[in-house]
Amino acid sequence: MRITDWPSNERPREKLLSGGAATLSDAELLAVFLRVGVAGKSAVDIARELLNDFGTLSSLFAADAAQLARVKGVGSAKYAQLQAARELTRRALGEQL
């Protein structure tokens, strides 16, 4: 089922906007970032699969393109998005130190 078919209060983006980022699970936060799924898999499905496969967010962000490409729906564009998020996080943490 597509996320747009879900009740609006269950959709990750809408939950974030109404309740803040802290109200979302890791999979929901990752799905907001991934934006879209593929035929038969929502962005939340892809996010859950990634988290199950890699175990932790750190392991997921450290994965290379070939490792991520094993998950249907994750190609070079989503790999680039994840690498950009990793670098933004690294920079933000560096500013705080």
Side-chain angles (χ1 to χ4, degrees):
M1 176 186 280
R2 296 174 356 167
I3 292 175
T4 55
D5 296 330
W6 296 6
S8 62
N9 65 334
E10 293 180 18
R11 297 177 197 162
R13 188 176 304 131
E14 285 77 359
K15 281 175 66 174
L16 185 147
L17 293 172
S18 68
T23 64
L24 275 65
S25 68
D26 289 348
E28 290 171 324
L29 284 169
L30 187 55
V32 169
F33 192 75
L34 295 174
R35 295 189 40 231
V36 296
V38 293
K41 287 172 79 173
S42 70
V44 173
D45 294 331
I46 293 171
R48 286 180 183 145
E49 186 172 348
L50 286 167
L51 291 170
N52 285 335
D53 287 357
F54 292 96
T56 66
L57 289 169
S58 294
S59 295
L60 171 62
F61 286 118
D64 63 32
Q67 291 171 309
L68 288 173
R70 293 182 201 146
V71 174
K72 180 184 174 192
V74 181
S76 59
K78 285 193 172 52
Y79 173 73
Q81 287 175 268
L82 291 171
Q83 290 304 301
R86 179 182 181 192
E87 182 60 18
L88 283 169
T89 301
R90 187 191 68 76
R91 292 178 188 189
L93 291 171
E95 288 175 357
Q96 293 174 6
L97 298 175

